[in-house]
Amino acid sequence: MEPLTLGALVALFTVLVLFSGISVGTGLLVVATGFLFIVDGARSLEALPELFFGELNSFALLSIPMFIIMGAAISSSRAGPDLYEALERWLTRVPGGLLVSNLGACALFAAMSGSSPATCAAIGKMGIPEMRKRGYPDEVAAGSIAAGGTLGILIPPSVTMIVYGIATETSIGRLFLAGVIPGLLLTLLFIAWSIFDTWRRGAAGVALSGITYSWRQKFEILPRVLPFLAIIVGVLYALYGGIATPSETAAVGALLCIIVVMIIYKMVQPKALWAILRDSTRESVMILFIIGAAGVFSFMLSSLFITQSVAAWIGGLEVNRWVLMAIVNLFLLVAGFFLPPVAVILMSAPILLPIIIAAGFDPYWFAVIVTINMEIGLITPPVGLNLYVINGIAPDISLKKVLFGSLPFVGCMVAAIVILSVFPGLATWLPDFVMGKAI
């Protein structure tokens, strides 16, 4: 059978298996072992255990559970509500200040926790009722929080960027820096659209709030927020200052976050600490299992010459490189509708990156484009995890309203991709400035 035909069959069966409800990691293993057994026989399966564990035999992978522990410690405390309240107090006299507060809190909390669902839950529980109380439309209130939660996989430190770096063997430090300016750009686009849409609807929410806070009230909330921001800044400084590796900085950051929540929020009970370790272990094992399974899946694609044939076919297309990039974006967009970001990156990045580099695109710029596509998947059905989280914390807002409130932010993300395509330096300038030109 021709490798391209075989590749089409693999893609079809992969979709069917994953749609069956089986976990992503298990589904990838089932497809990989099944096709290897059918095409190459039973002896081809002998190396799979070694391949699986070989994918996990990397010091860089230690940064994933460490950053997850860091996020779990923050998510389990009142850091989210405190961050929201701090921004509200400082921005209350700004037109549309509540919207800015919510989206700013989403961006900061998502960066600290690295979890989109946790961000939606933490900020949404306070932000959505407050916005509705002050006259913001339900669609704006729900959609802005759902979209704001996606920023955590772009703004560093980002587990998604770490996975991309491991899958493509690119610098994690450069990837983190590449996401900073695009993350801020996306946040500003979200804020601009939210304020414009509320003003367009004639809602009262864009008016200056009648609530005022004294300087004492503004400053008294800061000691509960600034330590977490200081940890994030310290982790990034240690990473880019050459003081420690990503894994070492993540470990120190995780320890400091646990200490801070114990001191500020009195989370000293063994039950509370156990919950942090339990939740972070569960998520870490899930991601690492997907990484191992994706390694086996990639071996199957390579050993059956599917990867090479697809790359040669795409590379042989006599099309403009931007047409090629549009096709790649469409593929990533559709894949993100059905699969979590980690699975899409592990399955596609090793195949796409050589093609992208051959077409003259920067690999770190491409990482940002991939990540924004994955953000779109978090607020679009059928998976659209953030939509269901928002519907869960505000059940009186229908899923339809949450979806329609999120769609304009999908437009903002597409606009960000276009802007980054016109001005790629927005993603590449900061890494080059801080770490020098990539070789």
Side-chain angles (χ1 to χ4, degrees):
M1 185 180 294
E2 286 291 324
L4 287 177
T5 306
L6 186 59
L9 279 176
V10 170
L12 175 62
F13 276 95
T14 302
V15 170
L16 291 176
V17 169
L18 294 179
F19 268 37
S20 70
I22 195 171
S23 67
V24 172
T26 305
L28 294 178
L29 282 178
V30 167
V31 174
T33 54
F35 273 91
L36 281 173
F37 178 79
I38 292 170
V39 178
D40 285 345
R43 290 187 62 85
S44 63
L45 305 182
E46 293 177 358
L48 296 191
E50 185 177 349
L51 281 168
F52 184 92
F53 288 104
E55 287 293 317
L56 304 179
N57 186 22
S58 170
F59 181 70
L61 283 176
L62 286 175
S63 59
I64 293 178
M66 293 298 102
F67 276 125
I68 290 174
I69 290 175
M70 188 173 167
I74 295 170
S75 301
S76 63
S77 68
R78 277 191 48 83
D82 283 347
L83 181 61
Y84 167 81
E85 189 175 346
L87 287 173
E88 184 190 5
R89 291 185 185 187
W90 281 89
L91 298 174
T92 186
R93 301 303 297 167
V94 176
L98 190 58
L99 264 175
V100 178
S101 299
N102 277 284
L103 287 166
C106 282
L108 291 173
F109 189 81
M112 291 191 298
S113 70
S115 170
S116 290
T119 301
C120 290
I123 306 301
K125 285 177 182 176
M126 293 188 66
I128 291 176
E130 284 296 319
M131 282 196 285
R132 297 175 76 187
K133 188 190 304 181
R134 299 189 194 179
Y136 287 84
D138 287 351
E139 291 89 344
V140 174
S144 60
I145 299 294
T150 68
L151 295 168
I153 67 174
L154 180 59
I155 300 175
S158 163
V159 172
T160 303
M161 286 291 197
I162 296 173
V163 171
Y164 178 94
I166 292 168
T168 59
E169 298 183 353
T170 48
S171 166
I172 294 173
R174 295 187 76 90
L175 289 169
F176 279 3
L177 285 172
V180 172
I181 295 177
L184 295 175
L185 169 67
L186 206 51
T187 305
L188 291 175
L189 287 174
F190 286 176
I191 291 172
W193 166 257
S194 298
I195 293 177
F196 169 77
D197 187 45
T198 309
W199 169 82
R200 180 176 61 87
R201 294 168 184 263
V206 293
L208 292 175
S209 170
I211 302 175
T212 58
Y213 295 97
S214 65
W215 285 105
R216 179 177 177 276
Q217 290 174 311
K218 291 180 179 180
F219 279 104
E220 69 181 4
I221 190 72
L222 294 183
R224 284 184 282 172
V225 175
L226 293 181
F228 294 109
L229 299 180
I231 290 173
I232 299 296
V233 172
V235 164
L236 297 178
Y237 174 77
L239 180 60
Y240 301 126
I243 299 173
T245 66
S247 299
E248 292 165 347
T249 55
V252 173
L255 178 62
L256 289 177
C257 280
I258 291 176
I259 292 173
V260 167
V261 298
M262 291 175 68
I263 293 174
I264 295 179
Y265 298 106
K266 312 299 181 186
M267 294 179 63
V268 295
Q269 302 89 349
K271 184 178 180 181
L273 297 177
W274 170 251
I276 293 173
L277 297 177
R278 180 198 63 210
D279 294 344
S280 56
T281 299
R282 182 184 296 128
E283 187 173 350
S284 300
V285 169
M286 177 194 71
I287 292 176
L288 293 174
F289 185 75
I290 292 175
I291 290 174
V296 175
F297 189 81
S298 297
F299 169 77
M300 178 270 294
L301 294 177
S302 179
S303 65
L304 301 183
F305 296 98
I306 295 172
T307 302
Q308 300 90 324
S309 300
V310 172
W313 177 74
I314 295 177
L317 292 175
E318 295 182 0
V319 295
N320 181 278
R321 70 179 192 138
W322 290 107
V323 175
L324 175 63
M325 179 55 66
I327 295 171
V328 169
N329 271 279
L330 183 61
F331 163 76
L332 292 170
L333 191 62
V334 173
F337 288 166
F338 302 100
L339 295 172
V342 170
V344 175
I345 289 172
L346 288 170
M347 292 169 62
S348 63
I351 300 174
L352 295 175
L353 192 63
I355 300 167
I356 293 300
I357 293 175
F361 293 105
D362 184 90
Y364 298 96
W365 171 86
F366 181 62
V368 175
I369 298 300
V370 171
T371 305
I372 294 176
N373 276 285
M374 297 303 97
E375 288 183 323
I376 293 174
L378 290 171
I379 55 172
T380 48
V383 177
L385 182 59
N386 286 15
L387 303 179
Y388 298 103
V389 173
I390 294 297
N391 184 239
I393 63 176
D396 54 326
I397 301 179
S398 68
L399 190 60
K400 182 180 178 181
K401 281 190 175 182
V402 179
L403 172 59
F404 279 105
S406 301
L407 288 180
F409 295 96
V410 173
C412 292
M413 294 177 185
V414 173
I417 292 175
V418 173
I419 293 171
L420 288 167
S421 298
V422 177
F423 305 104
L426 291 172
T428 59
W429 174 79
L430 189 58
D432 289 345
F433 177 77
V434 175
M435 303 180 71
K437 288 278 187 181
I439 300 175

